[in-house]
Amino acid sequence: MRRLAALVFVLLVARSDAQDKKDDLYPPIPTVDLKRKEPVEYAKDIEPIFENKCMTCHAGGTLRGKYDMSTYEKVMKGGKRGAKVIVPGKADESFFFRACARLEQPMMPPKTDEPLNSQELSLIKLWIDQGAKAPTSVRVKERPVVNLPPVLVKPVRAVAVAPDGKSIAASRGNQVHLFELKTVPAAKKGDKDKTEWAYAASLFDPQLKTPDGKPAKAAHISLVESMAFSPDGKTLATGSFQELTLWDVAKGEPRQRVGGFVDRVCAIAYSADGKRFATGGGAPTEDGEIKVFDAGTAKLVAEIKAGHSDTVFGVAFSPDSKLLATGGADKFVKVFELPAEAGQPAKFVKSFEGHTHHVMGVGWTPDGKKLASCGADNFVKVWDYEKGEKIRDMQGHQKQVTALAFVGKTSQFVTGSGDASVRMWNADNGGNVRSFPGASDFVYAVSASPDGEVVVSGCEDGTVRVYNGKNGTLLKAALPPDADPKSGEKK
């Protein structure tokens, strides 16, 4: 009996010690005396904190605890806890403050996210103690002035293989370069001519100017974040900060520039019938931006508002072009039914939850029955579209999986990762088909020809790597002629 009592005592002490150690990892956040003379103003002082630290989980399509923080009125209304979330004049009795200060569970933001600092917490406490007053003004966000990126900032954030598999488009900083499969005459008589990938041209917008009026000599002012070929290969769409350009590939010149985006255009996809293209983007911590355009006129067909509560990084049309799958920083994969005609609203169909970090890319199997997604949680996932359930997790990448592209009308797809690796997978059985070595830095983008013969990756080091898609052999580490080996970049 004594032994049993002693054992129970030891277990209780161990449990207490474990809990103490756990609590030490998440200690309460102290407040400080701000020594403010002027009252705390909601729009100026509080709303920016909520946007930065809270709205990923409490705005748009994601409302944890049924708590919407997108407006002052909704903040004060509360979620499933009701008005007790914020008690005007009494911060110490307000659940919101206590959760942010890590004095009460559940913590806000969650343990896995960046907590409020003492300055932010103290501002919220003072605002509540002062009566949690409504905004007296509307916060006007400053429009950023975008200029050319620094000379050495030349990541390849977007790549696309043309439908015929004979040409490649790739960004490099704010530039867009084209590479083609060319025939090289044999060095000796009697030998066969060879084919190899070589630089072909660069796309420049002659009307593009910097904020001070100088010619930009580039495709965009800011970094090129996304691109896609039309199914007929005649048009290349490239996305950058607040704009998208449609290029006439044969002429090598801009056909049309589309503006009006709130932030970066992070993803572009064409429908299989070539009639429409979709974009994904949006400012961080704000509602994601999803737009669908007529491919011929570039007129807006539909805009899906509040589809995601954060930036959208992936868009993909279903094989029949009727549905659009999207993935965003709010950790969701979602599917929307697109309108048959312009002016009609898109309809939310279903969502898939399982990623624990940003969803960076999405795609459909050719039969439209499965979806694949990749995320910053290092996972690739395959979903049963009809059942709305996850089929499997696919592991192999050691860092965030940044991009995903299906190989033509097959169940195979390629992914790129921050661990400098490129892989090909099979969505039907979850198998890792092959790996593509050679990258020396963070991989941002991947693409593949419809027949799977060509696989391409874009890397932080500014290099476009072209692979034999059938055996994984590196065919070319492509660079434009102006790439300076003495610049200090990795080659």
Side-chain angles (χ1 to χ4, degrees), residues 3-18:
R3 289 182 179 180
L4 179 59
L7 179 59
V8 171
F9 176 76
V10 170
L11 290 174
L12 288 173
V13 170
R15 182 177 179 181
S16 178
D17 290 343

Side-chain angles (χ1 to χ4, degrees), residues 155-168:
V156 180
R157 291 192 175 179
V159 294
V161 181
D164 63 5
K166 296 181 180 179
S167 62
I168 295 167

Side-chain angles (χ1 to χ4, degrees), residues 92-422:
D92 290 330
E93 296 180 18
S94 301
F95 170 76
F96 184 83
F97 167 73
R98 295 184 62 79
C100 290
R102 295 186 164 178
L103 297 171
E104 192 168 335
Q105 296 286 349
M107 298 178 183
M108 292 179 61
K111 299 173 183 177
T112 55
D113 295 342
E114 183 183 355
L116 272 66
N117 57 43
S118 292
Q119 181 80 11
E120 294 168 330
L121 183 66
S122 300
L123 268 173
I124 291 173
K125 184 178 189 303
L126 187 56
W127 170 66
I128 297 175
D129 284 337
Q130 290 178 352
K133 295 179 181 179
T136 57
S137 61
V138 177
R139 183 162 63 97
V140 179
K141 297 181 180 179
E142 294 183 6
R143 181 180 175 86
V145 177
V146 180
N147 212 325
L148 301 176
V151 176
L152 294 181
V153 177
K154 297 181 178 179
V156 180
R157 291 192 175 179
V159 294
V161 181
D164 63 5
K166 296 181 180 179
S167 62
I168 295 167
S171 70
R172 195 169 193 263
N174 64 344
Q175 309 283 335
V176 173
H177 304 298
L178 300 179
F179 300 88
E180 293 180 352
L181 193 59
K182 296 184 177 181
T183 300
V184 179
K188 297 180 181 179
K189 189 176 181 179
D191 291 345
K192 293 183 178 180
D193 293 340
K194 296 181 180 180
T195 57
E196 65 176 33
W197 289 94
Y199 168 82
S202 296
L203 301 182
F204 299 116
D205 184 347
Q207 303 300 318
L208 193 65
K209 294 183 179 181
T210 62
D212 57 3
K214 297 179 180 179
K217 297 181 180 179
H220 293 273
I221 294 295
S222 188
L223 299 179
V224 180
E225 304 281 353
S226 54
M227 64 175 57
F229 276 104
S230 59
D232 61 9
K234 295 180 180 180
T235 302
L236 176 70
T238 60
S240 184
F241 184 74
Q242 297 185 335
E243 66 177 16
L244 175 146
T245 300
L246 299 176
W247 303 84
D248 184 314
V249 177
K251 295 180 180 179
E253 59 186 33
R255 191 184 85 205
Q256 192 169 353
R257 187 175 291 275
V258 181
F261 298 94
V262 299
D263 203 270
R264 297 171 298 156
V265 179
C266 299
I268 305 172
Y270 274 88
S271 58
D273 59 16
K275 295 181 179 180
R276 294 175 172 179
F277 67 87
T279 64
T285 74
E286 297 182 7
D287 283 347
E289 187 174 48
I290 306 167
K291 293 185 176 183
V292 181
F293 298 86
D294 180 279
T297 63
K299 290 184 177 180
L300 188 65
V301 174
E303 183 173 4
I304 303 172
K305 297 183 179 180
H308 289 267
S309 60
D310 209 329
T311 307
V312 174
F313 290 109
V315 292
F317 284 91
S318 60
D320 62 6
S321 303
K322 295 180 180 180
L323 303 173
L324 185 72
T326 60
D330 60 2
K331 310 170 190 175
F332 282 93
V333 173
K334 296 188 177 184
V335 176
F336 301 88
E337 181 181 345
L338 299 176
E341 298 179 1
Q344 299 176 344
K347 298 179 181 178
F348 169 74
V349 179
K350 61 182 65 176
S351 64
F352 302 83
E353 185 175 6
H355 281 286
T356 58
H357 213 312
H358 298 2
V359 177
M360 305 301 294
V362 292
W364 297 81
T365 54
D367 58 8
K369 294 182 178 180
K370 291 188 285 291
L371 282 163
S373 61
C374 65
D377 54 5
N378 307 356
F379 277 95
V380 176
K381 297 177 185 289
V382 176
W383 313 87
D384 184 309
Y385 172 67
E386 292 297 334
K387 295 180 179 179
E389 300 174 351
K390 184 179 69 176
I391 297 175
R392 63 176 60 89
D393 288 328
M394 297 156 71
Q395 293 179 276
H397 290 298
Q398 303 304 310
K399 290 185 179 180
Q400 58 182 291
V401 191
T402 55
L404 180 153
F406 267 85
V407 181
K409 296 180 179 180
T410 73
S411 293
Q412 295 183 345
F413 61 92
V414 292
T415 56
S417 171
D419 64 5
S421 70
V422 177

